Amino acid sequence: MPTTDFSYLSATEIARLIRRREVSPVEVMDATVARIEQRNPSLNGLIYLGFDDARREAKAAEAAVMSGTDLPPLHGVPAAIKDLFDFKPGWPTTFGGVRALRDNIAQFHCPFAERIEKGGAILVGKTNAPVMGLRGVTDNYLFGPTNNPFDTTRNPGGSSGGSAAIVADGLVSIAEGTDAGGSIRIPAAWCGVYGYKPAFGRVPVVMRPNAFAGDLPYVFEGPITRTVEDAALAMSVLGGYDPRDPLSLSETVDYLGALKQSIKGFRIGYSPNLDVFPVDPRVAETVERAVGAFTDAGAQVEEIKLGIRYSQRELSDLWLRLMMPLNMGTLEAVKAGGLDLLADHRGDFPPEYLHWIESYGQTMTAADLRRDQAMRSEIYDAFQAAFATYDLVITPTVAALPVKNEAGGNTHGPREVNGEAVDQGIGWCLTYPLNFTGHPAASIPAGLVDGLPVGMQIIGRRYADADVLAASATFERLRPWAESYRICAERVI
């Protein structure tokens, strides 16, 4: 292995090499910058490059190594954060490519950036996202679409699409995902990487002026990586109580220890469609084959029905309505800062976004919200009933294969799946019901269809992060996917 190429080394391996003084953080950073400069133009995954900051921090990391002080777990490992509600002082924040915010500079850290840096990682830049994160693909009018490294004519999914794309293409080994409807898991599925959404409250979400805004629906932050071990390592520095988040948890989880846990004897409920979602047969067949790995590991797998009585269209409409208070809060906060985006910059927003804001966000009543919370409660009850019998529930992550990117900055998801109409923003994603409920869930690579990745969603009991990681690690040992990145690595630039 040439020591100047760290492209597909895991974060765990890079940190180990640095700790043993076999490579220096400066050497790793120089190689990372070179790879980003070579390959990011074909991906458009990173939309802000913080190389000056990164190189300065790499030199400080090298000095810490040479001083012999104790090193944090991710010391010297390059990483990236997302350009949505994610902040590092002095770096721009455009809320997903809103043109009017191109010069909006953050003056504080978000918890993810704060904790990943405290854990030793070095941030190299910010990744592309859709406007306000309100769709399952990554495209916007300011930066344009991100391309999928498995096929650069296609989208990587969203909203953390830039993060998933650069991890799959070996630019960094860890990138931030945020997830209010699947935004960690959707792009992980379409980019063939591992996306971990922890149980609600594990990673603090700090919001102001409304400190409680992250529960309608549940909003999560978590890592996107190529290996399960890297996700567990990242969680070891990201997780834990934060007094600024009234909903954060103080319980300690041994994330790395969970990787050694056996799932022999686990009861696993396999839902091929969450009762009501149409699923592309190629996706369904790939996930059904993948589920067999859990039987090989000694678990009992049974196909189940959850008893969901709403249609998939009713569920996606519910999610979009529940997202309105959070989005209205953001727009009002920006307006309080002197910028009325809806009045003066309507052209910065896709028409679909404006439809939901104006038809629902500005007109919803307390009675409307009460009815929607009752619908949400039924989904929670359905999952809780399943977990009274089963340790895990397995589903496809998304129902379709990656879509082609469109011109003009407004790429859409599929209009229909198996002949059934779905909402193009989120209706093809079997992820957002878990943002109603708060259960931990991961998307893990299940296989390829015509060279395009398919994801499998692993869902655990409420707060049972260790079970999800144990099952993920077991699957990775039995059905390793690392070889699939050859498709990305051999792509001609």
Side-chain angles (χ1 to χ4, degrees):
M1 181 196 70
T3 57
T4 55
D5 185 6
F6 306 95
S7 306
Y8 283 96
L9 286 188
S10 68
T12 304
E13 293 169 314
I14 292 171
R16 185 182 299 120
L17 290 171
I18 289 172
R19 196 172 296 112
R20 292 175 178 174
R21 303 189 186 184
E22 296 179 32
V23 300
S24 78
V26 171
E27 183 182 2
V28 172
M29 186 54 64
D30 286 344
T32 299
V33 168
R35 185 168 179 83
I36 290 170
E37 290 177 336
Q38 177 194 20
R39 298 182 72 86
N40 188 60
S42 70
L43 291 180
N44 194 34
L46 284 157
I47 50 79
Y48 175 76
L49 304 176
F51 291 162
D52 289 343
D53 290 336
R55 284 190 161 117
R56 182 171 57 252
E57 290 164 19
K59 289 178 181 177
E62 182 174 74
V65 172
M66 300 311 294
S67 72
T69 60
D70 289 339
L71 303 177
L74 291 169
H75 191 77
V77 174
I81 59 172
K82 182 178 175 182
D83 182 44
L84 195 58
F85 310 113
D86 315 280
F87 314 105
K88 177 178 167 69
W91 286 17
T93 296
T94 73
F95 292 169
V98 177
R99 287 178 292 207
L101 297 175
R102 71 175 72 227
D103 297 320
N104 181 43
I105 304 299
Q107 302 301 335
F108 53 90
H109 280 94
C110 68
F112 187 102
E114 182 178 68
R115 291 191 172 194
I116 206 79
E117 287 189 331
K118 186 177 179 181
I122 300 174
L123 297 176
V124 298
K126 300 194 76 176
T127 62
N128 203 18
V131 170
M132 299 294 180
L134 200 72
R135 59 175 58 193
V137 295
T138 296
D139 195 0
N140 58 64
Y141 298 141
L142 177 57
F143 301 115
T146 294
N147 301 320
N148 191 312
F150 283 81
D151 178 348
T152 53
T153 69
R154 297 178 183 269
N155 200 269
S159 62
S160 309
S163 290
I166 67 170
V167 169
D169 206 43
L171 276 60
V172 296
S173 53
I174 295 175
E176 178 193 25
T178 60
D179 191 316
S183 293
I184 292 171
R185 293 158 287 155
I186 297 163
W190 275 6
C191 290
V193 292
Y194 184 69
Y196 187 69
K197 180 188 78 67
F200 181 67
R202 291 277 181 237
V203 177
V205 177
V206 177
M207 295 188 177
R208 292 297 184 277
N210 179 6
F212 298 90
D215 68 348
L216 188 67
Y218 288 128
V219 177
F220 303 81
E221 294 201 71
I224 294 175
T225 62
R226 289 187 300 273
T227 73
V228 179
E229 184 179 23
D230 279 1
L233 183 63
M235 284 300 301
S236 73
V237 304
L238 294 171
Y241 176 72
D242 188 316
R244 297 170 295 178
D245 179 1
L247 304 174
S248 67
L249 302 173
S250 59
E251 178 190 10
T252 300
V253 177
D254 184 1
Y255 298 103
L256 288 164
L259 308 183
K260 303 173 185 176
Q261 177 184 327
S262 171
I263 65 166
K264 185 176 182 180
F266 270 35
R267 295 197 66 186
I268 296 177
Y270 168 52
S271 173
N273 59 2
L274 286 182
D275 294 1
V276 296
F277 284 81
V279 178
D280 185 312
R282 298 167 295 177
V283 171
E285 291 166 11
T286 302
V287 174
E288 186 171 0
R289 286 195 303 271
V291 170
F294 298 112
T295 302
D296 296 341
Q300 291 179 263
V301 180
E302 301 170 1
E303 189 168 322
I304 63 168
K305 293 281 189 182
L306 285 94
I308 293 174
R309 67 185 184 92
Y310 296 106
S311 70
Q312 54 86 10
R313 195 58 183 250
E314 288 174 312
L315 292 178
S316 61
D317 284 354
L318 170 62
W319 179 80
L320 285 158
R321 291 195 301 270
L322 288 178
M323 283 293 291
M324 290 302 100
L326 181 62
N327 276 260
M328 291 302 301
T330 300
L331 294 169
E332 289 169 6
V334 174
K335 184 177 180 180
L339 197 59
D340 191 336
L341 293 174
L342 290 182
D344 301 328
H345 300 279
R346 287 177 55 83
D348 286 1
F349 297 93
E352 298 84 1
Y353 183 86
L354 292 173
H355 164 74
W356 283 98
I357 288 292
E358 295 173 349
S359 300
Y360 296 92
Q362 296 176 332
T363 62
M364 288 175 68
T365 67
D368 293 332
L369 184 57
R370 186 173 63 249
R371 283 190 292 270
D372 284 348
Q373 289 285 55
M375 286 181 65
R376 174 188 186 179
S377 299
E378 290 191 37
I379 306 306
Y380 175 83
D381 289 343
F383 276 97
Q384 288 297 88
F387 283 117
T389 301
Y390 298 98
D391 300 289
L392 298 168
V393 171
I394 307 291
T395 75
T397 306
V398 296
L401 295 172
V403 295
K404 294 274 190 177
N405 277 323
E406 302 173 32
N410 191 25
T411 297
H412 298 82
R415 184 181 301 276
E416 62 179 40
V417 179
N418 284 2
E420 184 175 339
V422 296
D423 178 84
Q424 288 186 274
I426 195 72
W428 39 279
C429 306
L430 286 77
T431 51
Y432 64 84
L434 285 309
N435 297 82
F436 295 158
T437 70
H439 293 82
S443 181
I444 196 164
L448 300 173
V449 171
D450 298 329
L452 298 173
V454 171
M456 176 173 64
Q457 185 171 217
I458 303 173
I459 308 161
R461 289 189 172 111
R462 205 110 194 284
Y463 310 120
D465 295 78
D467 289 350
V468 176
L469 288 167
S472 300
T474 297
F475 183 85
E476 185 179 25
R477 286 191 293 270
L478 293 175
R479 305 281 180 90
W481 58 82
E483 186 66 17
S484 68
Y485 300 125
R486 286 184 59 189
I487 296 174
C488 306
E490 294 173 357
R491 180 168 54 86
V492 176
I493 301 299

